[in-house]
Amino acid sequence: MSERLVIVGADATGMSAASQARRMRRAEDLEIVVFERGRFASYSACGIPYWVGGDVAERDELIARTPGEHRERDIDLRMRCEVVELDVEGRRVRVADLESGARYWQDYDDLVLATGAVPIRPDLPGIDADGVHGVQTLDDGQALLDTLERTEGRRAVVVGAGYIGVEMAEAMIKRGYRVTLVHRGTEPMSTLDPDMGALVATAMKGMGIELVCEAEVTGIRVGEDGRACGVMTESAEYPADVVILGIGVRPATELARAAGLPLGDSGGLRTDLAMRVRGHDNIWAGGDCVEVLELVSGRFRHIPLGTHANKHGQVIGAGIGGGYATFPGVVGTAVSKVCELEVARTGLREDEARAAGLQFVTVTIESTTRAGYYPGATPMTVKMIAERITGRLLGTQIVGREGAAKRVDIAAVALTARMTVEQMTALDLGYAPPFSPVWDPVLVAARKATAAVRNRR
Amino acid sequence: MSERLVIVGADATGMSAASQARRMRRAEDLEIVVFERGRFASYSACGIPYWVGGDVAERDELIARTPGEHRERDIDLRMRCEVVELDVEGRRVRVADLESGARYWQDYDDLVLATGAVPIRPDLPGIDADGVHGVQTLDDGQALLDTLERTEGRRAVVVGAGYIGVEMAEAMIKRGYRVTLVHRGTEPMSTLDPDMGALVATAMKGMGIELVCEAEVTGIRVGEDGRACGVMTESAEYPADVVILGIGVRPATELARAAGLPLGDSGGLRTDLAMRVRGHDNIWAGGDCVEVLELVSGRFRHIPLGTHANKHGQVIGAGIGGGYATFPGVVGTAVSKVCELEVARTGLREDEARAAGLQFVTVTIESTTRAGYYPGATPMTVKMIAERITGRLLGTQIVGREGAAKRVDIAAVALTARMTVEQMTALDLGYAPPFSPVWDPVLVAARKATAAVRNRR
């Protein structure tokens, strides 16, 4: 007898799970129904800033697979259909067809919640005005571009200086806007320690971005036409023809919450290692709507990233397909390109290590991406955090130019293997003059960190 | 009472050891005497092809520190002085001053052998003719450039297709030569499996290099002027105005051999983990004259590389300085740039795995360096070898364009941590569209390898 798998959300986790389950179980054995409230499926949300900035010419380049392609593989993908209620007891979801207005119940044997995240919209005057945009879904990106199309002014204010805020500030500069970035912290790129963020600030100013730090937004000024025309802080007002929110996102778990499913402190769903919602054998969840185990501090955290979402989908699909796979957790790796700079982090920042109850040493070194004498060698900065006494690597941050950021993967693997910085000094990393000084910058940092650990024992 | 440290060889290992020991012990406590038979110290031998090819304008850019700078730090560096005899019992070396012709004995308390490697010169007719060049030391590089200076013809034949041979072939093309590369194997870049080497062959041909594969050199044709004018194989002859040997190098251990120090099968010195020559508490050795423990197969091998040499020097210097450090071994990582291609390997090739008695599966995947929609995304190929049954990673090879090669570091760290390919599928690697597809190519290979391991269990 055929079973039915229902998936809520048709982006990275949802469609990876659908595809993987379909590879393992034929249509006669497993019916797969996917509900997506938006107009797009299987797209790269991470690519939106590059589409807005013009590096990617066409929206459709961000779409990995069209709804039609999914349907050809016996996946019943229903676009513009929102799941509005979850009946755990009855094993069914209530669906609202946003086009026709129809509503209906859909039974399931297995359910996957892949509802993603939504941009945080602080409760401020004017926040819902026209011209205030979050950038999370492809629909969001399209809405922003539609606004830009019909807006004459060329002043953009970006609120928030995490990855999205910083990437969007650059994208708007590339579109020819005057850009002001308003944020709370002392330095932009809040995913880094402030000393590393300061390097990013310099690059952003060099690109012409106006940085307003340590500023709390108090409201959005709305013009007589009902459109946003400025961003207000406690001490100033910044005129804006468009406002972009880059404050962060929160898990989209209203449905799960209403159904009584277990949520963590961040509001994300809690799952086991096979990505089953805790206490529910036939409900799975993954992607931006779950919390993941962050392995360095041993805490569950909300770390929305496309690469995790894809892995979750793979694991869920394998489980539903009758196989076995697990997602052991993350170490907090993230990379980004900001103006000329490459920026990377993995593991814990100083404040995160402190919050986890860890004592640590930090070192920062300057080196180059290639051998100093090789054409194109550019400076790069590596910061390394190691546990006191044990010397275990806790985190690494990198700011530099071409070839700098992906070196963070070395530290990401070392964190996964729980290596000490001293063990790292002996790592057999690739060396040739076009790629690295004879001591790779990561090794230089590990050596200095080793000395610091020894001195603090 | 002051002790005396004598070091034989003033490049990476020798001068790193000297500098590290000096940092830890003052001149009143430790006298440091270094003998170097060549005219240069502390240079990057790996940079020679780029100097010959013109990417590096001046020889002196390859020199990290001049003899004068070393002497200012109380290191008694004696250039053009060759150590011709080692009296282990008497704790002294016999030195020949190549400039003055003087010979003398020098006592030591600790001795470091950092004599490096010499290019293999097969015993062939004509091999010692003028115009036949190895490229190992800066002196070798200078001698080659001197020959090119006074040679009118523009035909170069390179013998051997390892890293040096391939890099030198490209360097000579850049200098405007017609280049023929003659080698024994079926494909160039013998450090890769032939299927990956074939990708390199295509790139080399595209650059105009004539590749002669599966050819055994039988001799060098010498003209009436006593200069090399051609390279002969069993079936053909290739005219040459200059001949470059890239056949490989062997440890320069004549001195050690004559003194009865323990050598491995490759002729390299055998040391303990602190880089002391086995059975000799006060004799240390490192760099291209020693064998290193290759951790994947558990065998001692001769793997000459500047990055190992520097680490050895550091470890030796720390030991002599009264500290504690060890060199645990290597995993066989190497990267190289060939024409437009980046080439990388770590761990074992198929033939190496077989020779080590391992059973394995191999997979090869195609992916891209960046997200497919991001400007500058280029194809890259990853080959992965995993142990049968256990799934332990055994080796990884990469051929691609900008951004491809250094990804091998991920596999290098995973090998060090003895990870399985299945564990690797969950690695939290840096993802953003300018740096990687949402599944990093290394993860794609790990997933395919995991499936292959499961199928072969």
Side-chain angles (χ1 to χ4, degrees):
Chain A
M1 205 186 70
S2 171
E3 290 186 320
R4 182 182 294 130
L5 167 63
V6 166
I7 297 176
V8 187
D11 200 12
T13 298
M15 297 321 295
S16 291
S19 300
Q20 180 64 30
R22 176 55 75 229
R23 271 192 287 273
M24 297 171 76
R25 292 174 68 178
R26 289 176 310 160
E28 302 82 67
D29 179 42
L30 182 72
E31 183 189 352
I32 303 178
V33 184
V34 186
F35 298 109
E36 168 57 48
R37 67 177 177 185
R39 293 181 298 134
F40 305 100
S42 290
Y43 58 87
S44 170
C46 325
I48 294 171
Y50 309 103
W51 170 40
V52 172
D55 287 320
V56 175
E58 296 289 335
R59 182 187 67 205
D60 288 356
E61 295 179 45
L62 300 184
I63 296 173
R65 206 168 271 164
T66 64
E69 288 169 321
H70 285 297
R71 289 185 192 116
E72 276 168 24
R73 303 170 76 213
D74 287 320
I75 295 169
D76 180 2
L77 172 52
R78 305 185 194 172
M79 302 300 296
R80 299 282 290 146
C81 285
E82 185 167 10
V83 171
V84 292
E85 192 180 341
L86 163 57
D87 174 7
V88 171
E89 200 73 22
R91 300 195 165 206
R92 57 181 191 160
V93 292
R94 184 147 175 84
V95 181
D97 184 325
L98 302 179
E99 297 292 340
S100 71
R103 294 201 163 210
Y104 57 94
W105 285 100
Q106 176 76 58
D107 294 341
Y108 63 80
D109 296 292
D110 276 289
L111 176 70
V112 176
L113 295 173
T115 46
V118 290
I120 293 170
R121 290 180 91 92
D123 186 21
L124 292 174
I127 195 82
D128 292 321
D130 276 357
V132 180
H133 290 270
V135 192
Q136 177 67 7
T137 65
L138 210 49
D139 285 288
D140 293 341
Q142 187 63 63
L144 170 61
L145 282 172
D146 292 346
T147 290
L148 299 183
E149 192 93 334
R150 58 171 186 263
T151 304
E152 284 196 8
R154 281 285 175 277
R155 292 165 307 178
V157 175
V158 178
V159 182
Y163 285 106
I164 299 290
V166 169
E167 287 171 1
M168 287 307 302
E170 182 178 357
M172 296 304 288
I173 285 278
K174 285 188 178 169
R175 286 189 78 91
Y177 281 69
R178 270 188 57 192
V179 177
T180 304
L181 182 71
V182 181
H183 67 109
R184 277 184 187 168
T186 54
E187 300 291 350
M189 202 54 108
S190 50
T191 49
L192 302 179
D193 283 325
D195 54 336
M196 298 294 279
L199 304 174
V200 180
T202 304
M204 294 181 74
K205 287 174 195 160
M207 207 184 186
I209 295 167
E210 182 189 13
L211 276 176
V212 181
C213 306
E214 298 180 87
E216 194 74 40
V217 172
T218 54
I220 309 293
R221 170 86 62 198
V222 183
E224 289 180 0
D225 57 357
R227 298 177 42 76
C229 62
V231 171
M232 295 175 288
T233 68
E234 283 158 337
S235 60
E237 182 171 335
Y238 302 92
D241 302 298
V242 60
V243 177
I244 297 171
L245 301 178
I247 305 171
V249 296
R250 59 175 180 74
T253 48
E254 292 78 4
L255 194 65
R257 185 188 300 272
L261 298 183
L263 305 181
D265 294 341
S266 70
L269 278 153
R270 281 292 184 88
T271 74
D272 65 13
L273 290 167
M275 305 307 297
R276 279 186 171 94
V277 173
R278 289 195 185 177
H280 296 267
D281 268 3
N282 67 330
I283 305 181
W284 314 66
D288 292 359
C289 67
V290 305
E291 292 190 348
V292 291
L293 179 59
E294 184 269 280
L295 296 162
V296 186
S297 69
R299 295 191 310 165
F300 280 85
R301 296 176 57 189
H302 183 234
I303 302 180
L305 260 184
T307 182
H308 304 334
N310 272 280
K311 290 191 182 99
H312 292 167
Q314 194 77 24
V315 166
I316 293 169
I320 293 170
Y324 174 67
T326 61
F327 183 80
V330 305
V331 293
T333 312
V335 294
S336 186
K337 195 163 180 299
V338 188
C339 311
E340 291 297 286
L341 289 186
E342 297 187 359
V343 177
R345 59 152 286 161
T346 189
L348 306 180
R349 286 191 310 255
E350 290 192 44
D351 60 338
E352 292 168 327
R354 220 170 277 122
L358 294 161
Q359 292 188 16
F360 55 86
V361 299
T362 68
V363 298
T364 302
I365 64 99
E366 303 283 334
S367 182
T368 53
T369 49
R370 310 172 183 212
Y373 56 78
Y374 194 86
T378 54
M380 64 178 275
T381 305
V382 181
K383 178 171 183 171
M384 201 168 268
I385 306 181
E387 191 177 23
R388 222 192 117 199
I389 311 290
T390 72
R392 177 165 70 103
L393 178 68
L394 296 179
T396 299
Q397 295 166 46
I398 296 173
V399 175
R401 287 164 190 266
E402 182 139 30
K406 276 292 265 178
R407 277 178 159 92
V408 82
D409 288 344
I410 300 162
V413 186
L415 282 169
T416 306
R418 300 181 74 84
M419 285 186 183
T420 66
V421 287
E422 183 143 12
Q423 287 172 320
M424 289 179 74
T425 62
L427 284 174
D428 186 5
L429 304 180
Y431 160 63
F435 302 106
S436 175
V438 68
W439 289 96
D440 190 280
V442 173
L443 296 182
V444 176
R447 278 172 61 186
K448 192 169 178 187
T450 300
V453 168
R454 288 180 173 209
N455 287 338
R456 283 285 304 277
R457 268 195 182 120
Chain B
M1 205 188 70
S2 169
E3 290 186 321
R4 182 183 294 131
L5 166 62
V6 166
I7 298 176
V8 187
D11 200 10
T13 297
M15 297 321 294
S16 291
S19 300
Q20 181 63 30
R22 175 56 74 231
R23 272 193 287 275
M24 298 171 76
R25 292 173 68 177
R26 291 176 310 161
E28 302 81 67
D29 179 43
L30 182 73
E31 183 190 351
I32 303 179
V33 184
V34 186
F35 298 108
E36 168 57 49
R37 67 178 176 186
R39 293 181 298 135
F40 305 99
S42 290
Y43 58 86
S44 169
C46 325
I48 294 171
Y50 309 104
W51 169 39
V52 172
D55 287 322
V56 176
E58 296 289 334
R59 182 187 67 204
D60 288 356
E61 294 178 46
L62 300 183
I63 296 174
R65 206 170 270 164
T66 65
E69 287 168 321
H70 284 298
R71 289 185 193 117
E72 276 167 24
R73 303 169 76 214
D74 287 320
I75 294 169
D76 180 1
L77 172 53
R78 304 184 195 173
M79 302 300 296
R80 299 283 289 146
C81 284
E82 184 167 10
V83 171
V84 292
E85 192 181 342
L86 163 56
D87 174 7
V88 171
E89 199 73 21
R91 300 195 164 205
R92 59 182 190 160
V93 293
R94 185 147 175 83
V95 181
D97 184 324
L98 302 179
E99 297 292 340
S100 71
R103 295 201 162 209
Y104 57 93
W105 285 99
Q106 177 77 57
D107 294 340
Y108 63 80
D109 295 293
D110 276 289
L111 176 70
V112 176
L113 295 174
T115 45
V118 289
I120 292 169
R121 290 181 90 93
D123 187 21
L124 292 173
I127 194 81
D128 292 322
D130 275 357
V132 180
H133 290 270
V135 191
Q136 177 66 7
T137 64
L138 210 49
D139 285 289
D140 293 342
Q142 187 62 63
L144 170 61
L145 282 173
D146 292 347
T147 290
L148 299 183
E149 192 93 334
R150 58 171 185 263
T151 304
E152 282 196 9
R154 283 284 177 274
R155 293 165 306 179
V157 175
V158 178
V159 181
Y163 285 108
I164 298 291
V166 168
E167 287 171 1
M168 287 307 302
E170 182 178 357
M172 296 304 288
I173 285 278
K174 285 189 178 168
R175 286 190 78 91
Y177 280 70
R178 272 188 56 191
V179 178
T180 304
L181 182 72
V182 181
H183 67 108
R184 278 183 186 168
T186 54
E187 299 292 349
M189 202 54 107
S190 49
T191 49
L192 302 180
D193 283 325
D195 55 336
M196 298 295 278
L199 304 174
V200 179
T202 305
M204 293 181 75
K205 287 174 195 159
M207 206 184 186
I209 295 167
E210 181 189 13
L211 276 176
V212 181
C213 306
E214 299 181 86
E216 194 74 42
V217 171
T218 53
I220 308 294
R221 170 84 64 196
V222 183
E224 290 182 0
D225 58 357
R227 297 176 42 75
C229 62
V231 170
M232 296 175 286
T233 69
E234 283 158 338
S235 59
E237 181 172 335
Y238 302 92
D241 301 299
V242 60
V243 177
I244 297 171
L245 301 178
I247 306 171
V249 296
R250 59 176 179 74
T253 47
E254 291 78 4
L255 195 66
R257 185 187 299 272
L261 297 183
L263 304 181
D265 294 341
S266 71
L269 278 154
R270 282 291 185 87
T271 74
D272 65 14
L273 290 167
M275 305 308 296
R276 279 186 171 93
V277 172
R278 290 195 183 175
H280 296 267
D281 268 3
N282 67 330
I283 305 181
W284 315 67
D288 291 359
C289 67
V290 304
E291 293 190 348
V292 291
L293 178 58
E294 185 268 279
L295 296 162
V296 186
S297 69
R299 296 190 310 166
F300 280 86
R301 295 176 57 189
H302 184 234
I303 303 180
L305 261 185
T307 183
H308 304 335
N310 272 279
K311 290 192 182 99
H312 292 166
Q314 196 77 26
V315 167
I316 293 168
I320 293 170
Y324 174 67
T326 61
F327 184 81
V330 306
V331 293
T333 312
V335 294
S336 186
K337 195 163 180 301
V338 188
C339 311
E340 292 297 287
L341 289 186
E342 297 187 359
V343 177
R345 59 152 286 162
T346 190
L348 307 179
R349 287 190 310 253
E350 290 192 44
D351 60 337
E352 292 168 327
R354 220 169 276 124
L358 294 161
Q359 291 188 16
F360 55 86
V361 299
T362 69
V363 297
T364 302
I365 64 100
E366 303 283 334
S367 182
T368 53
T369 50
R370 310 173 184 212
Y373 55 78
Y374 194 87
T378 54
M380 64 179 275
T381 306
V382 181
K383 177 171 184 172
M384 202 169 268
I385 305 180
E387 191 177 22
R388 220 191 118 200
I389 311 289
T390 72
R392 176 165 70 103
L393 178 69
L394 296 179
T396 299
Q397 296 166 46
I398 297 173
V399 175
R401 287 164 190 266
E402 183 139 28
K406 276 291 265 178
R407 278 178 158 92
V408 82
D409 288 344
I410 299 163
V413 186
L415 282 169
T416 306
R418 301 181 73 84
M419 285 187 182
T420 66
V421 287
E422 183 142 15
Q423 287 172 320
M424 290 179 74
T425 63
L427 284 174
D428 186 4
L429 304 181
Y431 160 63
F435 302 105
S436 175
V438 69
W439 289 97
D440 190 280
V442 173
L443 296 182
V444 176
R447 279 173 60 187
K448 191 168 179 187
T450 299
V453 169
R454 288 180 173 209
N455 287 339
R456 283 286 302 278
R457 266 190 185 125

